[in-house]
Amino acid sequence: MRFVSGLKTVVVVFRGCTDIVCCILFVLAILAYFAVGILAWSQGDPRKVIYPTDSRGQFCGQAGTPQEKKPLLFYFNIMKCASPMVLLEFQCPTTQICVEKCPDRFMTVTNSMVSLKPRCVLLLLVFRLCPAMLTPSTPFTRRCFPALGQKGGVIVVGNNSKFDDGSGTMKDAKDLVAGVKNATVAIEARQTMMKIFEDYTHSWYWILIGLVIATLTSLLFIILLRFLAGIMVWVMIALVIVVIGYGIFHCYMEYAALKEQPGANVTLQQLGFQTDLAVYLQIQQTWLAFMIILVIVEVIIILLLIFLRKRLLIAIALIKEASRAIGHVMCSLFYPLFTFLLLAIVIAYWAVTAVFLSTSNEPIYKVFNDTPCEFSREVCNPGNYSTSAMKAQCPDTQCLFAFYGGETVYHKYLIGLQFYNVFLFFWCANFVTALGQMTLAGAFASYYWAFVKPDDMPAFPVFSALGRSLRYHTGTLAFGSLILSIIQIIRVLLEYLDHKLKGLYAVAQNKFAKFLLCCLKCCFWCLEKFIKFLNRNAYIMVAIYGKNFCTSARDAFFLLMRNMIRVAVLDKVTDFLLFLGKLLIVGLVGVFAFFFFSGRVKAFENTAPNLHYYWVPILTVVIGSYLIAHGFFSVYSMCVDTLFLCFCEDLERNDGSAARPYYMSPTLHEVLWKNKADGDDLRLKRQQTEEDRSL
């Protein structure tokens, strides 16, 4: 509703709660999410993924337990781990106990207990109270594995090529290799994760310093854009080209330096997968690939700049206008910190709940046998197994811990709870992002629709917009984020299905099935991008007029379609320039992090921490820098989108007369309305707008 008082025109929007049903649904879903978290925390036990477990399901080295001083797991007969079933069950069919330290010499139970009668020794072996043999072992991921090595090209254990297996038979040391290999398959990934975790513990403060540098750099760029928008845009363009050019030069120098190094001509395919990514930096093909990628990026950026050279000046002027708006809403620059905080809470809750859900199973024991037995791999009870019918019929069997599982209703629906956890994570994360977009859109819309700027603006535009969004439009935010979350969870299911079908030979060879799955993944990726674009503009319309989601999405879509040329050549060019700014910040901080953590600069050689993988902090700093730069530049991006959409709406609803004056500033009018012939089409556009709104 419009009120005219003298020379001052004020627009008043009467708001009411929108999409109430979806708001109620979202609140109920959050309450159920808390219930799932409480249930998971009451049932879960994260120790199951930290400590090794013996044959009785006890944790080795867990404080406050009888095994507190026994942190290592020892296998009675590691050679039984050579069975192919180990790779399917992730459990060796041999007794496992917790020990204080790994054995350091050869020994057999027969030789060590010469004072006992042969019958007693036999009973110890039958009931598996002692291992038949001991071999020199070394601890690895809290487990004792034979100390294998090579001597004269022959595999040895403890400097011996043969050992006694406890029954008087001499075995070759190479017989231990298969058992050790299978026993370590399930824990190699865990060992890598432990090394990565150690790297984080040694470098977290340097990572934090890198992120602080990225924050200060981003803030400096934003402040300079506020006062020197034109100069800073050209400086950003030049620096991006220079930084990428330096990257191409550095990759070429590394490629040339490795030309004379032996073994540097190995291909990536021949090298295969390596957990230590530093290995890839020692071959030429890696640096050649980096150089080609950077050359392609450089060429694309230069071609885009040449192609868009006439539109750059207009985009720069639009950024200047956005800078003026941000100058009146300076607290908007710090709003991304609030969004980061909310997202951190959502991510932390999801991660903790996922860990507790995955560790809320009960220990399952199964029958393991050396000779044929009808009860093989059946569930058993270790407490009374020695007197059970299974043991009586199959004396050679034993009841060992197999895995964590369960047969209760809770355990049967555990996968459903995990799915619900992932879905609510997407919904809550999208809701937080949507709240930030609507809040910033409301703040900048209050700037645009203020006839006298900044006198007609609220005292605290960001806080006012945040309050309106939560009070009136929580349901709308939940509705938009729900649609996006459904599409994202479908994409996750498609990726999961693709991963599972690759293991089926018949499906993997079916080209039609692969083509259909690829098309589905591509379609839902495009749909997700479209919904994100539509939601963003719908939230702007909700912030302006206070209507529900569907009406606002429809109005925004038709408004953008009627101004498609402007959207393509102005709004997106501005987004491209802001992307270059983010790319520049990430490039500068990433280059600094690379030279620091890799030790390439002698000045930092003694300062940088000693790490297993120096790429861990580098990637963390690069990703964190991008998120930080994206958070700050998203304020500019949201401001530009809001001003652009308000301009299009203002152009259709007003004609610049005294009765219906424009709310746009003279500068914005000059920037976005270059073609004066547009004025002849205003009446036609208004008629079309009214027809669209009456649908």
Side-chain angles (χ1 to χ4, degrees), residues 306-351:
I306 294 174
F307 179 74
L308 300 173
R309 63 188 184 279
K310 294 183 178 180
R311 299 294 177 180
L312 288 179
L313 295 176
I314 302 176
I316 291 172
L318 186 58
I319 292 178
K320 287 182 179 180
E321 184 64 23
S323 298
R324 295 189 186 94
I326 292 176
H328 293 294
V329 194
M330 284 299 292
C331 57
S332 62
L333 292 177
F334 301 96
Y335 184 83
L337 300 177
F338 178 67
T339 301
F340 285 151
L341 176 62
L342 293 180
L343 285 176
I345 294 174
V346 171
I347 294 172
Y349 186 87
W350 163 77

Side-chain angles (χ1 to χ4, degrees), residues 422-589:
V422 174
F423 178 72
L424 261 292
F425 164 71
F426 282 133
W427 197 357
C428 293
N430 290 327
F431 180 87
V432 170
T433 304
L435 177 62
Q437 292 175 346
M438 186 178 290
T439 300
L440 292 176
F444 295 127
S446 66
Y447 163 82
Y448 185 94
W449 297 108
F451 193 75
V452 179
K453 303 174 177 58
D455 297 343
D456 293 341
M457 293 175 60
F460 302 99
V462 173
F463 292 106
S464 299
L466 178 61
R468 287 195 304 270
S469 300
L470 292 175
R471 180 180 178 182
Y472 297 108
H473 308 304
T474 298
T476 300
L477 295 171
F479 191 9
S481 55
L482 174 62
I483 297 173
L484 184 58
S485 301
I486 292 174
I487 296 172
Q488 290 174 335
I489 203 68
I490 292 175
R491 289 192 62 203
V492 170
L493 291 176
L494 287 175
E495 292 292 342
Y496 177 78
L497 182 63
D498 187 25
H499 175 73
K500 286 296 182 182
L501 292 180
K502 286 180 180 178
L504 301 176
Y505 180 80
V507 179
Q509 299 300 316
N510 191 326
K511 294 184 178 180
F512 176 75
K514 293 167 63 177
F515 173 76
L516 180 62
L517 191 60
C518 183
C519 289
L520 287 174
K521 291 164 63 176
C522 180
C523 290
F524 277 97
W525 181 84
C526 295
L527 182 60
E528 180 184 353
K529 297 299 180 184
F530 173 75
I531 292 298
K532 283 184 176 180
F533 173 77
L534 188 62
N535 282 4
R536 183 184 180 92
N537 290 282
Y539 297 145
I540 296 175
M541 297 300 286
V542 173
I544 297 173
Y545 293 109
K547 298 180 181 180
N548 61 37
F549 178 81
C550 293
T551 303
S552 300
R554 184 200 63 187
D555 293 343
F557 179 77
F558 285 121
L559 182 62
L560 291 173
M561 289 301 99
R562 291 192 297 271
N563 295 272
M564 188 180 300
I565 302 299
R566 287 193 178 97
V567 173
V569 301
L570 295 180
D571 192 43
K572 295 308 166 188
V573 174
T574 307
D575 289 342
F576 172 68
L577 292 179
L578 296 177
F579 171 75
L580 291 183
K582 291 185 282 188
L583 199 64
L584 175 60
I585 293 173
V586 172
L588 292 175
V589 178

Side-chain angles (χ1 to χ4, degrees), residues 33-53:
Y33 197 21
F34 286 139
V36 170
I38 293 172
L39 182 62
W41 297 339
S42 64
Q43 299 289 330
D45 190 354
R47 295 178 301 173
K48 296 173 184 177
V49 296
I50 300 175
Y51 300 99
T53 309

Side-chain angles (χ1 to χ4, degrees), residues 279-478:
V279 175
Y280 295 102
L281 301 180
Q282 306 302 319
I283 61 176
Q284 283 184 294
Q285 199 175 74
T286 302
W287 293 104
L288 180 62
F290 286 161
M291 184 170 62
I292 293 174
I293 293 173
L294 290 177
V295 167
I296 293 174
V297 173
E298 184 88 326
V299 171
I300 291 175
I301 291 176
I302 292 175
L303 290 178
L304 285 175
L305 291 174
I306 294 174
F307 179 74
L308 300 173
R309 63 188 184 279
K310 294 183 178 180
R311 299 294 177 180
L312 288 179
L313 295 176
I314 302 176
I316 291 172
L318 186 58
I319 292 178
K320 287 182 179 180
E321 184 64 23
S323 298
R324 295 189 186 94
I326 292 176
H328 293 294
V329 194
M330 284 299 292
C331 57
S332 62
L333 292 177
F334 301 96
Y335 184 83
L337 300 177
F338 178 67
T339 301
F340 285 151
L341 176 62
L342 293 180
L343 285 176
I345 294 174
V346 171
I347 294 172
Y349 186 87
W350 163 77
V352 172
T353 303
V355 170
F356 275 86
L357 282 174
S358 62
T359 59
S360 59
N361 290 313
E362 298 173 350
I364 300 298
Y365 301 87
K366 288 191 175 184
V367 176
F368 289 89
N369 57 299
D370 295 325
T371 58
C373 176
E374 61 177 313
F375 304 111
S376 177
R377 301 307 189 267
E378 288 191 9
V379 178
C380 59
N381 184 358
N384 60 2
Y385 186 73
S386 59
T387 59
S388 65
M390 294 180 182
K391 184 68 173 179
Q393 294 186 32
C394 303
D396 195 38
T397 60
Q398 51 185 329
C399 184
L400 301 178
F401 168 78
F403 56 85
Y404 286 101
E407 299 296 332
T408 64
V409 176
Y410 170 75
H411 294 105
K412 289 181 180 179
Y413 292 98
L414 198 57
I415 185 66
L417 295 178
Q418 286 282 22
F419 177 82
Y420 186 77
N421 183 35
V422 174
F423 178 72
L424 261 292
F425 164 71
F426 282 133
W427 197 357
C428 293
N430 290 327
F431 180 87
V432 170
T433 304
L435 177 62
Q437 292 175 346
M438 186 178 290
T439 300
L440 292 176
F444 295 127
S446 66
Y447 163 82
Y448 185 94
W449 297 108
F451 193 75
V452 179
K453 303 174 177 58
D455 297 343
D456 293 341
M457 293 175 60
F460 302 99
V462 173
F463 292 106
S464 299
L466 178 61
R468 287 195 304 270
S469 300
L470 292 175
R471 180 180 178 182
Y472 297 108
H473 308 304
T474 298
T476 300
L477 295 171

Side-chain angles (χ1 to χ4, degrees), residues 181-254:
K181 183 178 180 181
N182 280 1
T184 56
V185 164
I187 58 176
E188 282 183 351
R190 181 185 171 193
Q191 175 67 8
T192 302
M193 294 302 296
M194 291 298 294
K195 289 183 178 179
I196 292 175
F197 180 77
E198 290 180 7
D199 288 344
Y200 276 124
T201 59
H202 294 153
S203 61
W204 66 269
Y205 45 91
W206 293 111
I207 293 175
L208 189 61
I209 291 175
L211 296 180
V212 170
I213 293 175
T215 303
L216 296 177
T217 305
S218 301
L219 189 59
L220 178 62
F221 266 78
I222 293 297
I223 293 175
L224 291 177
L225 273 177
R226 165 67 181 88
F227 298 101
L228 303 170
I231 297 175
M232 284 303 301
V233 169
W234 290 113
V235 169
M236 282 194 305
I237 293 173
L239 286 180
V240 166
I241 295 175
V242 170
V243 169
I244 297 178
Y246 172 77
I248 296 172
F249 171 76
H250 181 80
C251 291
Y252 174 78
M253 295 302 295
E254 293 287 348

